[in-house]
Amino acid sequence: MDTALTDHPYLAATDGTFALGNCSTEPPAGAGGKKALKKRLKQLTKSLDEQQRRLYSKGERAVLLVFQAMDAAGKDGTIRAVFRRIDPNGCHVWPFKQPTPEELAHDFLWRVALKLPKKGKIGIFNRSHYEEVLVVRVHPEYLAGQKLPSYDSLEELWTQRYESIRNFEEHLARSGTVIIKFWLNLSRDEQARRFIARIDEPEKRWKFSFGDVEERARWTSYMEAYEQMIRATSRPWAPWYAIPADDKRFMRVQVAEIVDRTLARLGLSYPQPDAAREDELLEMARELESQIGQP
């Protein structure tokens, strides 16, 4: 099933023509103030809670949400804010860090395949298999630890990985997994301001890393990697959304609306018993009612 919201302004082109130059990091004029965005997010989180309950009760589809972004874009906070009402039993978050020796001993999709959501559940990837065409593309020296078969060029390797990802995600979609991918599009200046805020606030200093600043020197390379990645892997069955991330409140509302609208398109509903089962349930209710107050 194609799940892309074709009328959404932040849908990344699904025909291989995505261009970074068409994306803004700032919300549009008239996006709403703090109070309005807060109210809208509250409405959406309530709706998402109901959608998740229906998804779980049917147990026919899984939902996979992928978040990718530069450091300080707000992935963690967005995941907390948007999915805070959802039952933890039906929603799991997996943060993917530097690969372990065991993970490096397998193909690059192995570790994410182990964490895929079961049918009826929502899985959230905080970073994902896309690190292999982002961080590793910017730092090709990391390939040395992957013990890969020979390849003619790095461009050939990235092309092969894009193809593997497309095939992997199309297989998941055919098998009943709804895939929604978010690139939180943060500007370089706003990232600097957020790094400064981390340094200025003692309770946030633990989040600051000198390595984050070093990576800023590679900003252009990262933007090129994001553009190529989205262009190669945004497809109707596994779309990317390029969300302006300079305003956290606006960003969170956009993420919540996209997930809510996509789930609404599934027409989720609670299972209903057939006539015979309904008669049994009514009879059981009468029996239980008769027991109330009895010793």
Side-chain angles (χ1 to χ4, degrees):
M1 174 184 178
D2 292 350
T3 56
L5 303 176
T6 55
D7 62 338
H8 199 281
Y10 299 125
L11 173 69
T14 59
D15 60 359
T17 60
F18 173 77
L20 191 66
N22 297 330
C23 300
S24 175
T25 64
E26 299 178 352
K34 177 180 177 180
K35 187 175 181 180
L37 291 170
K38 183 178 179 180
K39 180 180 179 181
R40 180 58 179 152
L41 183 59
K42 184 176 180 180
Q43 294 170 340
L44 288 165
T45 55
K46 183 177 180 181
S47 178
L48 285 172
D49 176 51
E50 180 62 26
Q51 296 272 27
Q52 185 273 330
R53 291 172 187 270
R54 294 176 181 175
L55 177 77
Y56 187 82
S57 71
K58 294 285 280 189
E60 294 176 352
R61 287 183 173 273
V63 175
L64 175 62
L65 309 177
V66 174
F67 287 84
Q68 291 288 160
M70 295 294 285
D71 291 312
K75 296 187 303 300
D76 294 354
T78 296
I79 292 169
R80 284 196 304 271
V82 173
F83 303 101
R84 68 179 184 271
R85 288 177 178 260
I86 293 180
D87 186 343
N89 288 320
C91 181
H92 299 283
V93 181
W94 301 107
F96 288 95
K97 305 295 184 181
Q98 182 177 346
T100 66
E102 181 181 12
E103 290 168 345
L104 288 172
H106 294 81
D107 68 271
F108 78 96
L109 291 171
W110 180 79
R111 67 173 182 160
V112 295
L114 294 177
K115 305 301 184 183
L116 290 171
K118 298 178 182 178
K119 291 186 177 181
K121 297 195 175 186
I122 297 174
I124 301 173
F125 285 0
N126 187 341
R127 301 191 188 275
S128 66
H129 44 300
Y130 284 100
E131 292 293 284
E132 292 293 329
V133 291
L134 288 170
V135 175
V136 179
R137 181 166 185 154
V138 175
H139 291 276
E141 64 271 19
Y142 293 166
L143 291 168
Q146 298 188 12
K147 301 177 182 178
L148 299 173
S150 61
Y151 47 86
D152 293 336
S153 67
L154 283 173
E155 285 307 313
E156 178 194 31
L157 177 65
W158 308 135
T159 298
Q160 290 174 353
R161 288 195 168 183
Y162 294 143
E163 182 180 10
S164 295
I165 290 171
R166 287 196 302 269
N167 291 340
F168 174 67
E169 293 179 345
E170 186 170 18
H171 166 72
L172 294 178
R174 288 172 173 171
S175 302
T177 297
V178 176
I179 304 169
I180 313 172
K181 301 177 293 191
F182 296 102
W183 173 45
L184 308 184
N185 183 18
L186 183 72
S187 69
R188 193 167 186 267
D189 286 347
E190 180 61 22
Q191 186 195 54
R193 284 189 282 268
R194 293 183 186 178
F195 281 163
I196 292 169
R198 289 181 179 180
I199 295 171
D200 288 344
E201 298 181 42
E203 67 273 17
K204 291 186 177 181
R205 287 177 182 169
W206 66 272
K207 299 175 69 175
F208 182 78
S209 167
F210 288 106
D212 295 340
V213 175
E214 292 175 358
E215 289 302 276
R216 280 175 57 80
R218 302 178 176 88
W219 188 273
T220 299
S221 295
Y222 272 107
M223 292 302 104
E224 291 173 353
Y226 273 109
E227 182 175 62
Q228 292 299 319
M229 174 196 79
I230 295 173
R231 184 179 296 170
T233 62
S234 186
R235 294 296 182 266
W237 57 86
W240 278 102
Y241 293 87
I243 311 296
D246 283 1
D247 184 312
K248 292 182 180 180
R249 293 183 182 88
F250 177 79
M251 172 181 66
R252 292 166 183 173
V253 167
Q254 294 305 304
V255 169
E257 284 187 339
I258 289 167
V259 178
D260 189 59
R261 283 186 57 191
T262 302
L263 293 182
R265 291 181 61 194
L266 301 179
L268 299 168
S269 62
Y270 292 107
Q272 297 299 316
D274 57 26
R277 178 59 174 163
E278 187 169 0
D279 288 343
E280 291 178 357
L281 291 172
L282 291 174
E283 178 62 31
M284 181 61 68
R286 287 191 289 269
E287 174 64 25
L288 291 169
E289 190 175 48
S290 69
Q291 296 175 10
I292 296 175
Q294 298 299 317

